[in-house]
Amino acid sequence: MGTNRVFALVIGCVVSLVAFAVLGVGVLLFFGYVAQDDEGRIGLPTAPLTTASSALVSEDVSLVDAIDPQVSDRVSVSVRVTSSDPAREVLIGIAPTEDVRDYLRGVAHTVVTDVEFSPFRAGYDNVAGSDTAASPLDQPWWSTRASGTGTTELEWRPQGGSWTMVVMNADGSAGVDVDVRAGVRVQSLGPVAASVLAASAILLVLGVGAIVFGASGLGRRAASETAAVSKPLDEPDALLSAAEQSLYPVVLTGTRPESLSRGLWLVKWILAVPHYIVLVFLLAGFFVTTFVAGLAILFTGRYPRGLFDFNVGVLRWVWRVQFYSYSALGTDRYPPFTLHRTDHPADLVVDYPEKLSRGKVLVKWWLLAIPHYLVLSLLAGGWYAGFRIAGNGGDAGATGQPYIFGSVLGVLVLIAGISLLFTGRYPRGLFDLVLGINRWVFRVAAYAALMTDEYPPFRLDQGPDETESAQKDRVDDDVSGHREDQVGE
């Protein structure tokens, strides 16, 4: 691989990931700006909270010790409290956590641990105590506090440290019943959101440009090296070649080995880690180049050749690693670190389309491919495990029920691994079925990646080579027909 192209691809992926992170922040800020009320506050829904004890207390909130002054000057927390009894004076305050703990030690109070709004639900952790709370109005350690009858509002600028919010009756008596609405005010939120979105756009353009530059160069290089090492077809195989050219344009092969290690498959997940690391960057580039190629197809009807060769190389790399590891356990030969074709037992080839539909590019990767996604979610969707809670809404006394779901491919590969472990054999029929499922997966992947307009067939073409499975009859018919023609002549 060209060092400059690899460097550009890696840097482009990193910059693009940063750009997407910044974009996410910008989108959140923008929606926050849109969600501001007339007072410039982004507010949560009103939470009706009640306790028979002396205080409602929030969970501890820890902030970094050194908050940027620009943040503390622009951001403030707003809390509005309305008592159910208009004549009762209520206090709301924010104070250091340790001071609140000392103040309420021995006093019955309630910690609000969880609040959900759709529908409303609050979790309460009641702390027992028999002492009477001292008047909260006389305490000197409040960072900020407000009290009054009816509706009382407090505003607090964040500071470093651990903080707790307290709602009490102003006289410290038991029984607190209030509606609480919290919110955040951010000054100049609109300009800040616009600046962050602009920064993300600049980073994204730079990142995508670097990825396209690196990927197109690597794709052209992979194509040239593949052409240089391709084996010419023997003359007697000319008819077979013609038949192969009539197959689906995505050709996946995997040579079945004569023997495999009994126990190597147990540690292949460790051995494949270097490939997983590289594939993180390659697949990030793959998604970006597919998007760019989609735009190119939409306007020109052509898939840029350099990007096409790069994406085929990425799929080929993925297939080699999966064939070696847990999508097939098909070989003990370690996959090469390259995009181009080699003599590795696993290979993948996609015919380059000279022309592609402009309209299909908008729908085939999601709408048209949905039937395949549904089937493949069962055939090759992966493993899922969890712990289902059975009972009344997860209340105390509910029972836990473990569950596990495995795809057909995952179960087949597991069976193959167990067979290897105890017998040293990989059953031929099982191998052929595993290859058929993987072939279906990669056909759909190439179709969704806009590499072909030919709709993937709903079938399992089993076997290491497509010409040895579902296409065998077609080749035999062609050969027989050719012979009959020669006899007739």
Side-chain angles (χ1 to χ4, degrees), residues 14-36:
V14 173
V15 173
S16 296
L17 290 174
V18 173
F20 280 115
V22 175
L23 177 62
V25 173
V27 170
L28 288 176
L29 292 174
F30 173 76
F31 280 109
Y33 171 72
V34 173
Q36 285 180 326

Side-chain angles (χ1 to χ4, degrees), residues 90-262:
V90 174
L91 174 139
I92 178 171
I94 296 176
T97 299
E98 288 300 322
D99 291 329
V100 173
R101 288 177 180 172
D102 291 340
Y103 171 67
L104 293 176
R105 186 171 285 112
V107 176
H109 60 279
T110 299
V111 180
V112 182
T113 58
D114 186 27
V115 176
E116 297 180 4
F117 296 98
S118 298
F120 177 79
R121 185 183 69 84
Y124 297 105
D125 185 5
N126 295 309
V127 180
S130 57
D131 296 345
T132 301
S135 173
L137 296 173
D138 298 334
Q139 307 308 314
W141 32 258
W142 295 109
S143 173
T144 183
R145 68 175 176 85
S147 61
T149 58
T151 298
T152 302
E153 186 169 355
L154 170 146
E155 193 151 344
W156 178 69
R157 296 193 179 278
Q159 305 171 43
S162 181
W163 303 93
T164 300
M165 186 177 72
V166 182
V167 179
M168 301 179 65
N169 295 323
D171 58 3
S173 61
V176 181
D177 187 3
V178 293
D179 290 337
V180 179
R181 188 182 184 198
V184 177
R185 283 193 179 94
V186 182
Q187 296 180 12
S188 305
L189 184 57
V192 171
S195 300
V196 173
L197 289 173
S200 68
I202 294 173
L203 289 174
L204 193 58
V205 169
L206 294 176
V208 170
I211 288 174
V212 172
F213 171 76
S216 59
L218 293 174
R220 286 193 296 269
R221 179 164 180 163
S224 63
E225 291 181 4
T226 296
V229 301
S230 296
K231 296 181 180 179
L233 291 171
D234 295 333
E235 190 66 27
D237 293 331
L239 182 58
L240 181 62
S241 173
E244 282 187 305
Q245 291 176 2
S246 68
L247 306 181
Y248 191 76
V250 180
V251 179
L252 178 144
T253 58
T255 304
R256 183 172 179 267
E258 295 182 0
S259 63
L260 286 168
S261 169
R262 288 174 179 257

Side-chain angles (χ1 to χ4, degrees), residues 384-417:
Y384 304 91
F387 201 70
R388 183 183 295 109
I389 300 298
N392 186 14
D395 296 336
T399 58
Q401 298 176 351
Y403 67 90
I404 186 170
F405 170 76
S407 67
V408 173
L409 180 62
V411 173
L412 295 177
V413 173
L414 179 60
I415 294 173

Side-chain angles (χ1 to χ4, degrees), residues 348-369:
L348 183 142
V349 178
V350 183
D351 293 340
Y352 178 72
E354 294 298 334
K355 198 71 175 176
L356 288 168
S357 168
R358 297 186 184 188
K360 284 184 179 180
V361 73
L362 298 174
V363 294
K364 66 182 180 181
W365 57 274
W366 66 281
L367 181 61
L368 300 182

Side-chain angles (χ1 to χ4, degrees), residues 290-340:
T290 299
F291 177 77
V292 174
L295 294 178
I297 296 168
L298 185 62
F299 290 102
T300 69
R302 293 179 59 85
Y303 203 124
R305 187 59 189 259
L307 300 186
F308 181 87
D309 292 332
F310 170 79
N311 284 349
V312 172
V314 173
L315 289 180
R316 183 181 297 127
W317 195 322
V318 170
W319 168 230
R320 289 194 196 114
V321 174
Q322 291 188 344
F323 187 71
Y324 171 78
S325 58
Y326 300 105
S327 284
L329 296 180
T331 183
D332 289 339
R333 182 176 171 184
Y334 199 70
F337 286 82
T338 180
L339 295 170
H340 62 76

